[in-house]
Amino acid sequence: MNEHLMEIVARDIVEGLPKEKRDIYQYVVDLEDELASRSETSEEFMALLVKHAPHQQAASHFNMSFGELMKRMRDIEQEINTKIDQKLKHATWIDYTDTIRSMKGSGAINTSYFFFSMDHAYTK
């Protein structure tokens, strides 16, 4: 599946998490994203992760032990992955290329057109 579309699906799932889970997850991800934006290589990113310890910062921020924060993050990430898998199982792609081309004429030859749908009834 398209990487951009996967990002949209994941963001939608994160937004649907209960507030406490969403806050914890987003706090850690925001810290990691900030470090990633300051890194030019994966080695630099890993060094910044070690130096700044975003999970430890999050544990302190949410008044948890490091172990408790890590367990919660693993549980939240598993929940997100499970929901992504559920959504992908019910995703539908419909190729409308021929229909659109016939409506537009020959000017749309190098473009493909798809309709993408996800049945939200299966995501809860």
Side-chain angles (χ1 to χ4, degrees):
M1 178 177 286
N2 177 301
E3 185 178 329
H4 180 67
L5 188 55
M6 286 292 291
E7 189 176 315
I8 292 169
V9 170
R11 193 175 324 130
D12 181 58
I13 290 169
V14 170
E15 288 174 9
L17 291 173
K19 182 176 177 12
E20 180 185 10
K21 289 181 180 181
R22 184 177 61 244
D23 289 349
I24 292 168
Y25 181 81
Q26 202 59 59
Y27 187 88
V28 172
V29 169
D30 288 347
L31 289 173
E32 290 176 340
D33 286 349
E34 196 276 323
L35 296 176
S37 72
R38 294 175 20 198
S39 307
E40 291 187 25
T41 66
S42 59
E43 291 81 16
E44 286 179 31
F45 177 60
M46 294 304 291
L48 288 173
L49 282 176
V50 170
K51 181 178 178 181
H52 295 282
H55 289 85
Q56 186 61 54
Q57 287 183 48
S60 295
H61 179 81
F62 291 102
N63 298 315
M64 297 180 193
S65 69
F66 179 76
E68 182 181 3
L69 183 276
M70 292 304 293
K71 180 183 180 329
R72 291 234 185 138
M73 281 298 291
R74 277 192 301 275
D75 291 346
I76 293 166
E77 288 170 343
Q78 181 59 48
E79 181 178 346
I80 291 168
N81 289 334
T82 298
K83 288 181 178 186
I84 287 172
D85 289 344
Q86 289 171 348
K87 282 192 175 216
L88 293 179
K89 285 179 186 175
H90 297 94
T92 304
W93 288 92
I94 301 170
D95 186 347
Y96 276 98
T97 303
D98 292 337
T99 304
I100 300 297
R101 283 183 183 163
S102 67
M103 291 169 41
K104 287 187 171 187
S106 62
I109 291 176
N110 293 326
T111 304
S112 296
Y113 299 91
F114 291 89
F115 173 75
F116 177 76
S117 174
M118 287 191 164
D119 186 347
H120 292 285
Y122 296 101
T123 61
K124 302 275 183 211

